[in-house]
Amino acid sequence: MLTLKPLRIPSRTHVLANGLRVIAHEDPSSPLVTVHLMYHVGSKDEAPGRTGLAHLLEHLMFEGSEHAPKGDFDDLLERVGGTNNGSTWLDRTNYYETVPTHAVELALWLERDRMAHFLPVLDAEMLETQRGVVINERRQSYENRPYGMADERLHQMLFAPEHPYSWPTIGYVPDLEAVTLDDARTFYSTYYTAGNAVLVVAGDVTAERAFELAAHYFGDLPRGPVIPRVSLDAAAVPAAPAIRRETMPDEVSFPRAYLGWAVAPYGSREWVALDVLAYLLGDGESSRLQRALVREGRLAQEVDTYLYPTERCGVFGVVATSRTGVAVETLEDTVRRVLDEVAAGGVTEDEVTGAIRRVRADQVAEMAMLEERADSLAYAATVLGSAEKLEELMDAYATVTPEEVSRAAAAWLGAERCATLMVVPAGDAEVRDAA
Amino acid sequence: MPRNPSPAVLPAPRLGPPPPPRVPVPLRWTLPNGLRVVAAPMHRVPQVVVRLAIRAGSVFDPPEHPGAASFVGSLMTEGTASFSAEALNARLDLLGAALHASVGHDFAEVEGVFLSETLAEGIALLAEVVARPTFPADETERVRAESLDALVARLDEPANVAEDRVALETFGAGHPYGLPAFGTEEGIAGVPVETLRRFHAEHYLPGGSFLIAAGDFDADELRGLLADAFAGWTGEARTAVYPPLREVPAEAGRDVVVPWVDAAQSEIRFGGIGLDRRAPGWVPAAVANYILGGSTITGRLGANLREDKGWTYGARSTFTPGLAGGGWIAETAVDVEVTADALGEMRAEMRRMSTEPVPADELRRAKDALVLSLPRAFETPARVASRLGTVEAYGLPADYWETHPARVEAVTAEDVLRVSRVHFDPARLVAVVVGAGAGE
């Protein structure tokens, strides 16, 4: 077993009477404070036909509230040297500000205002402008990017259309165009409540002061309605992909193989083993897939592996781009062969040790930023139930064994569970269709 | 679902004075071989970032082999006198350590990111790859093929095409800054390994190079580790001679359109000549740029194109300094239908900057944002290494960051107008559009 000093993000949690969970993380090493508000709502909570609503609402939330009208939010924070942002994903939406210590109350006041006094300013003009911005974001970040539509398609293949992980967080354009003011109002009223949020105050402020300020700025707000949750059945880990195999033409020069699997959810012991496996396969020049596909095999220009830390089930992916003249099917066969070898038990102690250290290096790099520490705490509290679960999760890596990694590959990454999407140069696909 | 009664209105908080900016004051020393060291210990996380910068950028490319410098950088970690590529990678991966080379126009940089418990071996490996790479034929040919494929793949993305083109239009093919540091297909395909070896022998030398370390280490221990690791490495690197920069781009005032079939958006870039990082005008120019496009949402470009019009996900501008001066660039991506309108609005914002004094309140906000954000700029080892690297690369005063707030505070609206006339006047800038043309 690898002996490493455990990584810690020390924190204390206090729950207000309205259900708002407040997490304080003290760190006086820089004169900075991060205020991070995470709502337990993401694209998985959207109704079919209204995909993209969670993310569109996040955009609207930056357009002002009753006492901090349009422009004030960014303006006030910028004047104190602060920064702010927000993001939407499958399971959660977050808003955060990082400010010099003296401005912590400004950040809390602004978040209070948009939790308590947002609906009166939400109007049709605001919705139209941000609808345009989001459709442009979709074009810029997905449609106008080579391979930009692959991830969206892979999710449609992995999950049946009714599964809430089947649609993209950015949403479909016709759905975005159909969103009404009422949709936005109802979504906000349902999910943007004290009872559905986690507030992290991290940095150069004591826990006592953080709890005091949280009570002052959020204690009087209502808990909010009982949240209609996506049923566990509807969002279960599918036993097999909805669509196993597909070829997608794109304006690209090289074919790229996307292999995806729906796997164990974030927080489970198996998810940790799969995370070690993702590093062992694809992170580092000596990792299995780098050697088999790039360095020794000379089949691919690059290969990457990833594992989503998602709530209902994880998503494991392998992405490899062909070198000139290499058929994309060869990449798929090679990935399959490597996964079979790993599942059959050929993993060494050194490989696992290295993978765990590389996970640790990435965790340490993230922890260097206050914003990332606050995010990790908020995410653990939101999707795992408490901030303390984060420590258990980080500690679990040190005890992962080669046998566990092999078992995880065998249990979750079998060929029968795999969705395979081949993105090919548009010209090649036409030739194939004609043949 | 109504919320009754409406929650109370709390008064906006009255803020106390901001905390005084704390900027790390690093230790500096020079090794007997001339390598300058800047060390900033910080112990929040068990990580050390080490950056070694060498005067070996693309400015030194042999004229017939653009991309040679970059190729040398890619081969640093592909085998050394003591380690095959395979053995080196296995060792780095077992330590959880990363070594990456990146080659720009002026410098080649090798960055090591280490867990503090593996620092000693990490430093030794960093020194090994920098001082003793062997350029094995087998790995060289693999990296060559990968680099050539990467050049082709890069051009699938309209944003990359726009980036390369605006540099060419701004600086011209006769200046190293006009060409991408990663080179050309011909340059990489034809360069013999012997040329790469010679390039390394001539340019990868400690005299003139500098090493920045930031993170969780003991300075005395680091001193010993560096002295041992770099003991056998000697020599003085040449300084580059750059051709003079143009006053303005050759096509200044015009649009250069690169058609793109079925573009969802037009990628727009404005390029112009910037100023020297060491020039007294740098700080006023940075303040002026902050107002125009330093922040993608609240800058004038973003406020207009994104927040007011909803045409784009963001618009921003930045100075891109180099040892030989540098450039300035404004960038956005908009709906193809509004390409001409967006060009017009961007020019109008630039013209407003270069003809009208900036209101006092807007200037105040920019100064506060720049000064009060300093703690964030020094939050992590990687950011500290980057900020201290700027001081070393340009030979700025050792107390540059400590005295930075005072320089920002001294900037006046007249200063902003003066630098804006030189750098943001649309007549002095070239526009590049990849996508639908302005007339379509």
Side-chain angles (χ1 to χ4, degrees):
Chain A
M1 194 178 112
L2 194 56
T3 47
L4 292 168
K5 199 166 154 239
L7 299 176
R8 287 285 176 265
I9 307 175
S11 71
R12 282 170 55 194
T13 300
H14 172 68
V15 185
L16 301 187
N18 58 14
L20 179 71
R21 288 181 289 161
V22 184
I23 299 169
H25 161 62
E26 295 182 24
D27 172 12
S29 62
S30 286
L32 289 172
V33 181
T34 288
V35 168
H36 185 118
L37 194 55
M38 185 174 282
Y39 293 97
H40 196 179
V41 60
S43 56
K44 81 160 182 300
D45 300 292
E46 293 159 353
R50 289 293 183 275
T51 64
L53 179 54
H55 172 250
L56 177 56
L57 183 60
E58 177 220 317
H59 272 250
L60 294 169
M61 289 283 279
F62 287 94
E63 294 302 290
S65 51
E66 211 174 347
H67 310 100
K70 184 171 165 71
D72 273 21
F73 198 90
D74 290 312
D75 180 76
L76 291 169
L77 286 167
E78 212 171 314
R79 283 175 193 280
V80 296
T83 179
N84 78 97
N85 212 336
S87 73
T88 310
W89 207 28
L90 301 172
D91 303 306
R92 95 291 178 278
T93 307
N94 65 3
Y95 300 87
Y96 48 93
E97 295 80 34
T98 299
V99 292
T101 307
H102 74 300
V104 57
E105 285 195 67
L106 174 64
L108 290 164
W109 181 80
L110 287 166
E111 288 299 354
R112 171 201 167 79
D113 210 56
R114 60 182 175 181
M115 196 193 281
H117 302 284
F118 170 69
L119 282 186
V121 305
L122 174 58
D123 66 15
E125 190 193 335
M126 221 166 108
L127 177 62
E128 285 324 307
T129 304
Q130 290 308 311
R131 196 199 307 273
V133 171
V134 168
I135 291 173
N136 266 298
E137 180 180 354
R138 187 183 157 94
R139 289 183 180 140
Q140 186 170 332
S141 305
Y142 304 93
E143 295 173 8
N144 216 21
R145 280 257 160 92
Y147 312 102
M149 300 306 289
D151 201 51
E152 178 172 315
R153 189 61 196 149
L154 187 66
H155 275 244
Q156 292 165 347
M157 294 172 67
L158 278 172
F159 300 102
E162 62 276 9
H163 193 290
Y165 287 175
S166 67
W167 57 81
T169 298
I170 190 81
Y172 300 128
V173 171
D175 292 1
L176 289 167
E177 282 168 348
V179 168
T180 65
L181 262 184
D182 266 355
D183 292 333
R185 285 192 184 116
T186 306
F187 201 81
Y188 172 82
S189 300
T190 307
Y191 295 107
Y192 280 67
T193 63
N196 193 40
V198 168
L199 173 71
V200 179
V201 181
D204 187 20
V205 54
T206 64
E208 287 71 25
R209 173 102 174 115
F211 295 145
E212 220 173 82
L213 291 172
H216 177 69
Y217 285 101
F218 296 92
D220 64 319
L221 302 185
R223 172 183 289 267
V226 175
I227 309 262
R229 284 292 172 205
V230 179
S231 83
L232 282 174
D233 286 350
V237 188
I243 301 170
R244 279 183 194 283
R245 166 173 298 278
E246 205 171 86
T247 299
M248 182 191 224
D250 194 2
E251 296 298 326
V252 295
S253 299
F254 297 95
R256 184 177 280 181
Y258 288 80
L259 285 74
W261 296 262
V263 298
Y266 180 60
S268 62
R269 174 84 195 176
E270 282 180 293
W271 187 93
V272 173
L274 285 163
D275 200 26
V276 173
L277 176 59
Y279 277 76
L280 183 151
L281 286 172
D283 177 274
E285 294 286 307
S286 75
S287 62
R288 291 232 173 178
L289 289 174
Q290 293 292 348
R291 280 189 285 132
L293 285 167
V294 182
R295 301 191 62 90
E296 291 161 21
R298 311 212 167 179
L299 303 167
Q301 304 175 35
E302 55 189 358
V303 60
D304 192 21
T305 55
Y306 63 87
L307 173 62
Y308 284 175
T310 28
E311 188 177 1
R312 295 301 176 76
C313 64
V315 176
F316 194 105
V318 175
V319 183
T321 311
S322 287
R323 269 176 62 158
T324 297
V326 177
V328 69
E329 290 76 15
T330 315
L331 305 185
E332 183 192 4
D333 294 345
T334 306
V335 173
R336 192 64 261 159
R337 176 175 57 76
V338 169
L339 288 176
D340 288 344
E341 285 165 9
V342 168
V347 176
T348 69
E349 196 76 47
D350 267 5
E351 276 182 292
V352 171
T353 299
I356 293 170
R357 282 225 183 87
R358 300 197 299 278
V359 171
R360 181 180 170 87
D362 281 356
Q363 288 173 339
V364 162
E366 279 188 12
M367 284 172 60
M369 284 185 72
L370 198 53
E371 254 171 27
E372 295 288 345
R373 274 177 277 159
D375 184 50
S376 298
L377 289 168
Y379 195 66
T382 300
V383 309
L384 302 180
S386 78
E388 287 72 33
K389 287 273 201 300
L390 183 64
E391 292 189 357
E392 287 172 31
L393 195 68
M394 295 205 296
D395 288 352
Y397 285 90
T399 59
V400 170
T401 63
E403 294 70 35
E404 254 181 308
V405 171
S406 289
R407 274 204 307 275
W412 295 103
L413 305 187
E416 71 291 350
R417 300 181 53 83
C418 180
T420 305
L421 174 65
M422 305 297 200
V423 178
V424 298
D428 293 4
E430 280 154 28
V431 170
R432 257 177 233 177
D433 290 346
Chain B
M1 270 165 258
R3 295 178 177 197
N4 288 320
S6 181
V9 178
L10 295 186
R14 295 166 66 89
L15 307 186
R22 278 184 249 153
V23 171
V25 179
L27 301 159
R28 289 182 162 85
W29 66 90
T30 302
L31 298 186
N33 63 8
L35 177 68
R36 285 176 287 141
V37 179
V38 181
M42 49 197 291
H43 303 288
R44 195 179 307 131
V45 289
Q47 181 201 48
V48 183
V49 173
V50 180
R51 282 194 191 168
L52 176 53
I54 300 147
R55 294 197 298 234
S58 65
V59 60
F60 296 107
D61 274 344
E64 66 281 20
H65 296 302
S70 176
F71 200 175
V72 170
S74 308
L75 290 169
M76 296 277 91
T77 49
E78 294 291 346
T80 72
S82 309
F83 294 92
S84 68
E86 193 185 348
L88 177 69
N89 290 325
R91 195 64 210 159
L92 287 168
D93 284 350
L94 183 61
L95 295 174
L99 283 182
H100 286 294
S102 61
V103 177
H105 293 112
D106 304 322
F107 291 98
E109 266 196 280
V110 183
E111 182 187 73
V113 180
F114 309 116
L115 292 164
S116 37
E117 60 259 28
T118 65
L119 178 64
E121 191 169 352
I123 296 264
L125 291 172
L126 173 76
E128 174 77 17
V129 305
V130 170
R132 307 202 295 161
T134 46
F135 305 91
D138 194 36
E139 308 296 354
T140 301
E141 293 318 309
R142 178 180 54 75
V143 172
R144 192 195 306 269
E146 286 170 10
S147 304
L148 291 171
D149 281 349
L151 282 183
V152 175
R154 185 182 148 77
L155 299 183
D156 287 346
E157 197 146 0
N160 293 335
V161 174
E163 184 186 323
D164 295 352
R165 185 61 181 263
V166 76
L168 180 66
E169 295 292 340
T170 303
F171 299 106
H175 196 282
Y177 295 175
L179 297 173
F182 52 76
T184 63
E185 189 188 337
E186 301 73 43
I188 295 170
V191 65
V193 70
E194 203 31 63
T195 304
L196 302 176
R197 282 209 183 90
R198 204 166 48 237
F199 187 100
H200 175 266
E202 275 178 27
H203 298 293
Y204 279 68
L205 299 169
S209 300
F210 59 88
L211 181 146
I212 316 276
D216 182 29
F217 57 83
D218 173 83
D220 286 335
E221 193 195 334
L222 181 73
R223 213 180 272 270
L225 290 173
L226 293 176
D228 291 348
F230 291 103
W233 190 38
T234 55
E236 174 80 20
R238 281 189 357 235
T239 50
V241 180
Y242 295 82
L245 289 176
R246 299 163 162 175
E247 290 251 322
V248 297
E251 298 291 317
R254 298 207 182 87
D255 298 344
V256 175
V257 178
V258 183
W260 195 273
V261 178
D262 293 335
Q265 289 186 312
S266 290
E267 291 283 348
I268 297 179
R269 301 289 183 277
F270 280 85
I273 302 300
L275 73 172
D276 195 294
R277 188 67 184 75
R278 295 151 286 203
W282 175 264
V283 171
V287 172
N289 179 68
Y290 188 86
I291 293 166
L292 176 59
S295 150
T296 183
I297 294 174
T298 59
R300 287 184 181 187
L301 293 173
N304 183 335
L305 271 68
R306 172 179 158 132
E307 292 303 299
D308 188 48
K309 308 288 194 311
W311 288 342
T312 177
Y313 185 45
R316 57 195 300 273
S317 62
T318 182
F319 282 98
T320 55
L323 287 183
W328 178 80
I329 192 166
E331 57 189 303
T332 190
V334 299
D335 284 346
V336 282
E337 314 87 73
V338 297
T339 304
D341 297 329
L343 286 165
E345 290 295 334
M346 291 177 84
R347 287 200 165 98
E349 292 298 351
M350 293 167 191
R351 207 168 288 121
R352 188 153 70 96
M353 282 299 299
S354 49
T355 53
E356 296 171 27
V358 58
D361 186 56
E362 205 178 357
L363 178 61
R364 182 71 261 153
R365 182 178 79 168
K367 288 186 191 179
D368 284 345
L370 288 169
V371 169
L372 296 176
S373 63
L374 276 177
R376 278 190 290 118
F378 288 90
E379 194 191 354
T380 66
R383 288 184 191 174
V384 168
S386 169
R387 298 301 179 287
L388 296 177
T390 300
V391 172
E392 288 311 303
Y394 295 100
L396 300 173
D399 65 353
Y400 182 82
W401 291 112
E402 292 149 74
T403 53
H404 183 63
R407 278 189 298 275
V408 173
E409 199 47 59
V411 173
T412 65
E414 292 71 40
D415 294 334
V416 169
L417 186 60
R418 196 177 56 245
V419 294
S420 296
R421 272 190 203 122
V422 178
H423 298 292
F424 307 150
D425 176 357
R428 299 171 64 87
L429 304 168
V430 62
V432 169
V433 179
V434 178
E440 290 174 38

